[in-house]
Amino acid sequence: MALSSRPWFERLNATADQVREKRVESSDDLTLWTAYVEAHREIERQRFEFYKRSQDATTVLRTALAEHHTENEHAALTYAKDFVADVALLPVLVEMAMTVRYLPDARHAIANIPRPQLIAALEALFDTKLQALQDSDDDYYARWAELLVHLQAWPMLARLAERARTSGNPEVQEIAAWITTEYGPMLALEGWT
């Protein structure tokens, strides 16, 4: 009986074929990964060029952020998240931070704005938005609370909690209770109990 006709030999050959196929797949994976790394490197180079050479990055980014659900908008948000964002972008970034789709990246982009500029501009924007909040806007109360916690903007969070606590909507009142429970020590430092 020939060696090649034995069952164990056939299984061994089948296993060897599978190993060869895996090597080919691994080689393809490596090729794909190398292409990805090259593309990533090019993106980084182009972002740095834009950062270094753009004459009016804020206008370009504001325009791109207004193009909802496009690659242009996504690229602008990613750029603002990864680089120092201009305070002029704050209103549009705050609006984006109020939506589930954009909130993590928008929060990071907002946090990239230099803090002294951010807090002053956010105070004015927050006061306007707080006055406009209705009892039915429980989602906005929650998103504002999350944003203010992310930014460690405790005085504004205290004002939001106070407003939420006096709401006629039990869900909004729950947000006030959550803020107090989770961030009470920080609010106490601001004189709110």
Side-chain angles (χ1 to χ4, degrees), residues 136-150:
S136 59
D137 294 334
D138 51 287
D139 284 344
Y140 284 100
Y141 274 95
R143 297 273 159 63
W144 267 106
E146 293 165 352
L147 175 62
L148 296 172
V149 166
H150 181 78

Side-chain angles (χ1 to χ4, degrees), residues 6-38:
R6 296 199 176 175
W8 63 267
F9 188 77
E10 290 173 16
R11 284 194 307 274
L12 183 63
N13 276 339
T15 303
D17 289 342
Q18 289 172 345
V19 168
R20 279 192 288 279
E21 286 175 20
K22 285 285 186 197
R23 283 190 194 137
V24 169
E25 288 173 12
S26 295
S27 175
D28 288 346
D29 288 350
L30 186 57
T31 301
L32 291 170
W33 179 250
T34 301
Y36 172 80
V37 169
E38 287 301 317

Side-chain angles (χ1 to χ4, degrees), residues 14-15 20 24 40 60 69 78 90 99 111 119 136 144 153 168 177:
T15 303
R20 279 192 288 279
V24 169
H40 185 72
V60 171
H69 310 296
T78 301
L90 184 63
T99 65
I119 295 302
S136 59
W144 267 106

Side-chain angles (χ1 to χ4, degrees), residues 94-139:
V94 165
E95 288 304 316
M96 294 176 96
M98 297 296 132
T99 65
V100 172
R101 178 183 181 121
Y102 301 112
L103 67 88
D105 289 342
R107 286 179 190 165
H108 288 292
I110 292 167
N112 278 344
I113 298 171
R115 188 139 179 103
Q117 295 172 11
L118 170 63
I119 295 302
L122 189 62
E123 280 276 353
L125 184 62
F126 175 72
D127 287 340
T128 301
K129 297 291 185 179
L130 185 61
Q131 290 174 6
L133 281 176
Q134 303 294 315
D135 281 350
S136 59
D137 294 334
D138 51 287
D139 284 344

